[in-house]
């Protein structure tokens, strides 16, 4: 990640840690049903935040935009990354990195 023209590997923002690792930008395949309504709490747990789009297990096309604790923030650039309903947090154990 680049912050103020400096490369950083770890970012702490409001108690959450974001890491720049080799998984950022990698495509994922969902191993379980993925719902876009999960938000990440400071303790690393995911919680239901709003209505959601649902994607079946086996869906691909989403890429990892950020990593915090044991979760990834995934987006589908073909659908659009500006809409919250087209992206969300998922447990790292619920995806396979392609």
């Amino acid at each position: 990640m680049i912050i103020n023209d400096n490369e950083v590997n770890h970012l702490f923002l409001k108690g959450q840690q974001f890491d720049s690792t080799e998984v950022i930008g990698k495509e994922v395949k969902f191993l379980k049903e993925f719902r876009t309504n999960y938000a990440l709490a400071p303790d690393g747990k995911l919680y239901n935040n709003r209505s959601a789009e649902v994607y079946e297990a086996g869906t691909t096309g989403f890429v990892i935009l950020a990593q915090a604790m044991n979760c990834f923030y995934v987006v589908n650039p073909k659908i659009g990354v500006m809409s919250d309903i087209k992206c969300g947090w998922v447990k790292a154990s619920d995806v396979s990195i392609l």
Side-chain angles (χ1 to χ4, degrees), residues 34-51:
F34 170 63
R35 301 175 68 84
T36 60
N37 62 335
Y38 286 105
L40 184 65
D43 63 0
K45 294 181 181 175
L46 297 177
Y47 65 94
N48 188 329
N49 189 34
R50 59 188 171 346
S51 61

Side-chain angles (χ1 to χ4, degrees), residues 1 4 9 15 18 20 37 41 44 60 77-78 80 83 87 91-93:
M1 290 178 275
N4 294 331
N9 293 322
F18 297 87
S20 175
N37 62 335
T60 60
K78 293 180 183 175
S83 171
C87 50
K91 290 182 184 177
S93 60

Side-chain angles (χ1 to χ4, degrees), residues 4 9 14 20 23 26 28 31-32 38 42-44 49-50 55-56 58 65 68 81-82 98:
N4 294 331
N9 293 322
K14 294 185 179 183
S20 175
V23 298
K26 299 281 185 172
V28 298
L31 301 176
K32 296 182 178 181
Y38 286 105
D43 63 0
N49 189 34
R50 59 188 171 346
Y55 298 91
E56 295 181 13
L65 187 63
V81 297
M82 297 305 291
L98 301 178

Side-chain angles (χ1 to χ4, degrees), residues 56-94:
E56 295 181 13
T59 300
T60 60
F62 283 75
V63 297
I64 300 170
L65 187 63
Q67 178 181 10
M69 296 173 227
N70 65 338
C71 297
F72 298 132
Y73 190 78
V74 296
V75 300
N76 188 331
K78 293 180 183 175
I79 295 174
V81 297
M82 297 305 291
S83 171
D84 283 344
I85 204 157
K86 305 297 182 192
C87 50
W89 288 98
V90 63
K91 290 182 184 177
S93 60
D94 290 346

